[in-house]
Amino acid sequence: MGPSQKPGAAGVRFPGAVDSKFTSSLSFQYPETNTAIPTYRTMSPEGEILDSTVVLPSDDAALKMYLNMIKVSIMDLIMVEAQRQGRLSFYMPSQGEEGICVGSAAALEKDDVIFSQYREAGVFMQKGYTLEEFMSQLFANRKDKGRGRNMPVHYGSKELNIHSISSPLATQIPHASGAAYALKLQRISNPSLPPRVVACYFGEGAASEGDFHGALNIAATRSCPVIFICRNNGYAISTPTLEQYRGDGIASRGIGYGIDTIRVDGNDIWAVREVTMKAREIALKDGGRPVLIEAMSYRISHHSTSDDSFAYRARVEVEDWKRRDNPITRLRKYLERKGVWDESQEIEARTNIKKEILRALSEAEKEKKPPIRSMFEDVYKEMTPELKEQMGELRRVMQEYPEEYDVGEFEGGVASLK
Amino acid sequence: MRIPLRLSTFLVISPKAPRNIHSTRFQKAYSTHPPGAKLNKSIDYGSTPILCHSTSSALQNPELSPEIRNGTTKRMNLFQSVNDALSLALSSDETTMVFGEDVGFGGVFRCSTGLADQYGTHRVFNTPLCEQGIVGFAIGAAAEGMKAVAEIQFADYVYPAFDQLVNEAAKWRYRDGEYGRGLGGLTVRMPCGAVGHGALYHSQSPESLFTHIPGLRVIMPRSPIQAKGLLLAAIQSPDPCIFMEPKALYRAAVEHVPIDAYTLPLSVAEIVKPGKDLTLISYGHPMYTCSAALQAAERDLGVSIELIDLRTVYPWDKETVLASVRKTGRCVVVHESMINAGIGAEVAASIQGDKETFLRMEAPVARVAGWGIHMPLMFEKFNVPDVARVYDAIKKSIQY
């Protein structure tokens, strides 16, 4: 590219758009001129394979994924009920989105780094987060690795390379870009390291945050090996997508950032798995580049236990999605077609999983809470003199007014405050 | 966000910018004081005791290791010492990255000059113009084991990244609990403070907004020696650090700086000059104002004043401050940012809240700070604490 424009040149040499051609016909680019980005699907709602080129997992792996999906959905039902009974402060189910989470997680490697929003229990389940870990976090007991500080459903796991979830929406998206850049640099300085990508989950509502924009733009300009996975489930709490954006969903934005993009049927677990595997290959190509996946689904559950979604959408609409198109029933039909699953196995599996979850729940509920001291720890790596002083002050007050504080359920009681 | 072109050219880029930017005719109208002033004279950076004007004074600092004290020094201004610290961090640890808006060509304040050439554009690079993106990206990189030194072009433009700093960076270790994944690798640098004509958006000192956030360390150096040692300490710290650089000192403050890598302790105040009748507390650029006011007050009032530089404003060194005030019984706190809920409020409240110190007070704690206004272009000199205002506060406190 030269510094000046040659007379009569067909192309524009403005530094901001080097490949643009001149035109003498005035025409705006209208969004409606472009047809909506198609939604990739491998399997019909009846579980019939439509794309013969799709790479399918072994029956064992498929069954494991199916069980992980029903495990998440049964856990959702039980925990919502536990919250209704006041045994749990809060819960967020992921009904309808089990396919996106389990399908994409199955396509990632063990060492890949994951950032999530909060409706990704299926990712944790597929990666190997145990029921004990789920329950300890939900009940904030002494076995909770988060040490009882976070709201329920804010899981995290160092072993599984999943960063701890935080409530502010979309903040994790630029983290994913930065983390992916870190993995890229680490591999440049040590090529013997295994290739790794970062996967980042978020909803279509979170994609309206400024952090989404900042993250995708910097991921593109710094060529970061990151897969952005948007769960477009139609609602952000009560806000339908028509009030969230007017473009062609989230996928159409990826192109604008210069990012390879695909839209996929989120109720089709094989489609999700397939695009995530391909995205992983693309992300690692030529030293790294970002990919955007928009996975379409429907949020069958309420937003959270603090939400009654029938205040803003019809019960019949929800029931329709539940019955007509659902990632779990679709995979079940696929498995039944293959002859590796039937009604009796279904009943047995559901009964066992239910028992297993109830057992983990009641054990977690009985555990002591973390020591009170842990509320002052980990603010900084070392506790500051100020915090030590404040911890001593809390101890003094608790000892002077013992009848005002119930410390029995906390490991070590007041004595932990030193 | 981008600095208006004329201001940036004038302020920063121009190689012709005079060392003492207060001396040109153009600026006179904005920020200087009348020729007859006895207190409000221009700070003479060539003779102020705040700076080390010789190798021996630079090396006698007991906070430096014996090897450094036996080493050599080089005269540097503050932007050069920041550049030197960044270069040492990049050369000693290949996980170090330096990035932000316009960092690649050397930075609008010259702090990253030569670094991209020397350490490669993979590790020293420009980002898109988006503060929340820059800090979010830095957090992610630090979370995966990098030492991410991010630059926000002006402290005035850190607010788009406030959510990332408050809700993410500061809480990362706490919410990760037993996993212990912290963000020690994160350092966010930003030029701050008045510069003579920066007006509303090139003058701010938002440090006390950060001192209300558990989990962050907030640091502001007063000189090139301090900038280098504290910046290297921030980069090595296991906690995320906000490093605020008084931009008016970038070119103005020149001193002998040890050439090798060294660190100065975080969350430790420094007694810059011992005294027994009054404790004068500040940090950053107003340290020079305080030093000048102190000299005038000691001469005129026959008193002995102890000057303390907080250096890290949070978590701050309460112990050193309280010990000094217990000894002197009088205290004046000086800072450029607004008086309300500023650092002075915390210092004053801590003094009255400490039984032993409270009982020894001979006068109320005085605060000299920016008024409760935005930084106005034409009125900056009436807003930033000057020598006369600090002198007056000392006098009132002594005469109480």
Side-chain angles (χ1 to χ4, degrees):
Chain A
M1 187 181 69
S4 65
Q5 182 79 37
K6 286 204 175 70
V12 182
R13 287 240 178 114
F14 296 118
V18 290
D19 292 330
S20 176
K21 300 277 184 284
F22 284 120
T23 174
S24 304
S25 101
L26 190 160
S27 69
F28 285 89
Q29 301 293 313
Y30 300 101
E32 47 274 26
T33 327
N34 301 315
T35 47
I37 294 170
T39 303
Y40 174 65
R41 149 185 288 196
T42 64
M43 183 164 58
S44 74
E46 283 67 48
E48 189 185 0
I49 295 297
L50 305 170
D51 176 5
S52 56
T53 68
V54 68
V55 180
L56 294 165
S58 69
D59 290 346
D60 278 356
L63 280 171
K64 201 174 159 238
M65 290 168 75
Y66 180 68
L67 290 174
N68 281 338
M69 283 208 287
I70 53 176
K71 226 176 202 178
V72 169
S73 79
I74 295 171
M75 182 171 80
D76 279 352
L77 292 172
I78 294 174
M79 299 322 290
V80 166
E81 191 51 35
Q83 196 281 334
R84 296 277 184 253
Q85 294 167 4
R87 294 159 77 184
L88 197 63
S89 61
F90 178 76
Y91 191 74
M92 296 186 103
S94 55
Q95 219 181 342
E97 294 171 65
E98 300 93 340
I100 297 174
C101 294
V102 172
S104 58
L108 298 171
E109 295 294 324
K110 190 178 166 292
D111 291 335
D112 290 340
V113 174
I114 294 173
F115 289 86
S116 40
Q117 180 167 302
Y118 48 59
R119 213 181 295 285
E120 290 90 5
V123 172
F124 283 82
M125 197 67 91
Q126 179 66 22
K127 293 295 268 182
Y129 202 60
T130 66
L131 281 182
E132 186 187 9
E133 287 172 312
F134 276 111
M135 294 300 153
S136 302
Q137 200 286 328
L138 292 168
F139 284 98
N141 67 25
R142 69 182 185 90
K143 287 182 172 168
D144 168 23
K145 292 291 204 319
R147 308 192 74 187
R149 294 166 186 154
N150 305 304
M151 278 178 85
V153 191
H154 290 53
Y155 313 117
S157 170
K158 193 178 179 178
E159 292 82 27
L160 304 177
N161 282 318
I162 311 179
H163 285 288
S164 292
I165 291 171
S166 73
S167 305
L169 286 178
T171 47
Q172 80 278 16
I173 316 179
H175 301 165
S177 305
Y181 193 71
L183 302 188
K184 171 176 156 156
L185 284 203
Q186 286 161 10
R187 203 147 171 267
I188 287 174
S189 67
N190 180 4
S192 71
L193 289 173
R196 296 200 288 160
V197 300
V198 173
C200 178
Y201 296 85
F202 51 94
E204 91 285 351
S208 296
E209 293 281 3
D211 280 319
F212 168 86
H213 161 69
L216 269 73
N217 200 29
I218 198 167
T221 59
R222 295 313 301 172
S223 306
C224 303
V226 52
I227 308 172
F228 298 108
I229 303 174
C230 177
R231 297 177 290 93
N232 190 335
N233 64 14
Y235 288 93
I237 307 185
S238 74
T239 306
T241 51
L242 263 180
E243 288 165 27
Q244 198 63 249
Y245 53 73
R246 281 298 163 104
D248 178 22
I250 308 304
S252 65
R253 299 179 198 166
I255 313 298
Y257 291 109
I259 292 180
D260 299 349
T261 300
I262 194 163
R263 174 175 284 154
V264 64
D265 181 348
N267 292 340
D268 176 349
I269 193 165
W270 301 146
V272 173
R273 179 173 172 273
E274 184 77 2
V275 300
T276 312
M277 288 195 301
K278 287 275 157 47
R280 199 177 177 280
E281 277 169 34
I282 296 170
L284 289 167
K285 219 162 50 186
D286 308 328
R289 57 194 301 169
V291 185
L292 172 63
I293 298 172
E294 183 183 25
M296 312 309 290
S297 71
Y298 184 86
R299 196 194 78 211
I300 292 175
S301 53
H302 297 305
H303 164 71
S304 73
T305 50
S306 310
D307 170 53
D308 172 14
S309 65
F310 300 128
Y312 50 80
R313 60 181 186 177
R315 202 178 280 265
V316 55
E317 171 187 319
V318 179
E319 286 304 318
D320 187 45
W321 275 98
K322 216 159 145 181
R323 276 199 317 273
R324 185 167 57 86
D325 192 18
N326 172 308
I328 295 181
T329 48
R330 205 188 297 193
L331 181 56
R332 182 177 167 182
K333 284 175 183 166
Y334 165 87
L335 294 170
E336 285 175 350
R337 260 172 196 278
K338 291 205 80 182
V340 296
W341 197 250
D342 60 28
E343 182 66 16
S344 67
Q345 282 170 298
E346 176 81 14
I347 292 169
E348 193 193 340
R350 284 188 176 268
T351 315
N352 290 340
I353 289 170
K354 199 173 168 188
K355 269 191 211 151
E356 215 186 321
I357 291 170
L358 286 171
R359 195 180 322 119
L361 185 156
S362 81
E363 275 168 17
E365 208 174 16
K366 275 184 284 196
E367 277 291 346
K368 286 222 163 200
K369 300 300 178 194
I372 306 171
R373 178 191 171 89
S374 97
M375 70 188 264
F376 291 102
E377 291 171 321
D378 303 329
V379 176
Y380 296 90
K381 178 97 194 310
E382 303 292 336
M383 207 186 287
T384 61
E386 181 181 274
L387 287 175
K388 283 181 187 155
E389 195 187 313
Q390 291 174 2
M391 186 167 72
E393 178 65 4
L394 178 60
R395 179 185 163 92
R396 183 191 66 74
V397 173
M398 282 181 158
Q399 283 173 334
E400 204 162 319
Y401 304 91
E403 66 281 8
E404 306 298 328
Y405 299 94
D406 185 2
V407 299
E409 61 174 336
F410 295 90
E411 194 171 63
V414 179
S416 80
L417 290 171
K418 66 175 175 196
Chain B
M1 274 161 234
R2 200 165 274 277
I3 179 171
L5 183 66
R6 226 190 60 175
L7 187 59
S8 79
T9 313
F10 171 73
L11 236 182
V12 185
I13 315 274
S14 168
K16 285 180 231 135
R19 172 157 285 164
N20 181 348
I21 60 169
H22 297 282
S23 65
T24 68
R25 254 187 100 206
F26 173 69
Q27 286 172 17
K28 209 163 220 166
Y30 287 85
S31 59
T32 58
H33 295 280
K38 292 186 181 62
L39 293 165
N40 284 339
K41 298 180 222 165
S42 292
I43 299 292
D44 182 0
Y45 290 96
S47 66
T48 173
I50 292 297
L51 295 165
C52 292
H53 303 288
S54 69
T55 300
S56 59
S57 65
L59 295 178
Q60 71 190 202
N61 181 352
E63 286 179 335
L64 298 174
S65 70
E67 301 85 75
I68 296 294
R69 271 184 280 161
N70 289 326
T72 50
T73 64
K74 190 181 162 196
R75 265 171 62 88
M76 294 179 199
N77 63 25
L78 198 134
F79 83 65
Q80 289 163 333
S81 83
V82 168
N83 182 270
D84 189 38
L86 294 173
S87 182
L88 288 163
L90 285 159
S91 68
S92 69
D93 183 346
E94 63 174 4
T95 67
T96 307
M97 305 153 48
V98 174
F99 53 92
E101 293 159 19
D102 306 302
V103 163
F105 88 106
V108 298
F109 287 109
R110 291 278 176 263
C111 291
S112 51
T113 302
L115 300 180
D117 287 342
Q118 207 174 343
Y119 301 101
T121 50
H122 276 317
R123 294 170 62 204
V124 181
F125 54 87
N126 288 338
T127 62
L129 210 162
C130 176
E131 284 75 16
Q132 65 196 102
I134 292 169
V135 174
F137 182 90
I139 289 171
E144 283 304 316
M146 304 299 279
K147 290 204 175 351
V149 186
E151 177 179 300
I152 297 294
Q153 202 160 74
F154 284 81
D156 312 58
Y157 305 134
V158 73
Y159 310 115
F162 217 57
D163 183 38
Q164 285 288 350
L165 289 166
V166 177
N167 278 328
E168 298 295 325
K171 297 173 173 59
W172 200 272
R173 180 185 294 283
Y174 193 70
R175 72 177 184 229
D176 206 44
E178 231 167 285
Y179 291 124
R181 291 175 288 189
L183 289 184
L186 179 69
T187 306
V188 182
R189 296 175 42 239
M190 61 192 83
C192 70
V195 70
H197 49 276
L200 281 74
Y201 306 110
H202 297 86
S203 304
Q204 298 178 35
S205 294
E207 65 274 12
S208 42
L209 297 177
F210 293 112
T211 64
H212 202 65
I213 304 166
L216 299 179
R217 287 192 192 271
V218 189
I219 303 142
M220 197 191 292
R222 69 172 185 273
S223 74
I225 291 179
Q226 297 291 319
K228 180 174 170 180
L230 292 170
L231 180 53
L232 285 172
I235 293 170
Q236 282 176 25
S237 163
D239 304 310
C241 293
I242 305 288
F243 195 81
M244 305 178 71
E245 298 161 7
K247 67 176 98 60
L249 300 177
Y250 273 140
R251 288 166 187 273
V254 183
E255 67 182 336
H256 282 265
V257 178
I259 56 167
D260 291 327
Y262 62 93
T263 59
L264 293 171
L266 301 183
S267 294
V268 175
E270 184 188 2
I271 298 171
V272 176
K273 180 205 163 287
K276 54 184 177 37
D277 302 316
L278 182 141
T279 303
L280 184 56
I281 297 167
S282 191
Y283 54 91
H285 195 193
M287 285 296 294
Y288 297 85
T289 311
C290 287
S291 175
L294 174 154
Q295 284 178 40
E298 287 194 336
R299 182 191 63 220
D300 296 354
L301 310 169
V303 290
S304 150
I305 298 170
E306 184 147 301
L307 178 61
I308 293 180
D309 181 359
L310 290 179
R311 302 195 287 190
T312 299
V313 292
Y314 193 78
W316 64 295
D317 185 356
K318 203 184 282 186
E319 207 178 317
T320 297
V321 169
L322 292 184
S324 171
V325 178
R326 280 200 286 270
K327 179 177 72 179
T328 62
R330 291 181 165 86
C331 181
V332 175
V333 194
V334 183
H335 52 78
E336 223 177 84
S337 57
M338 179 177 74
I339 191 161
N340 175 60
I343 302 297
E346 186 61 29
V347 171
S350 297
I351 287 169
Q352 78 82 32
D354 185 74
K355 211 163 50 180
E356 224 183 300
T357 317
F358 176 68
L359 289 172
R360 288 170 194 243
M361 291 308 284
E362 305 280 349
V365 177
R367 292 183 282 164
V368 183
W371 309 115
I373 59 171
H374 307 293
M375 184 68 89
L377 180 73
M378 272 317 292
F379 313 106
E380 182 187 299
K381 62 182 171 183
F382 307 120
N383 187 30
V384 172
D386 59 13
V387 180
R389 282 171 60 197
V390 178
Y391 177 91
D392 178 70
I394 294 171
K395 192 171 81 176
K396 293 278 188 307
S397 180
I398 295 289
Q399 292 172 350
Y400 182 81

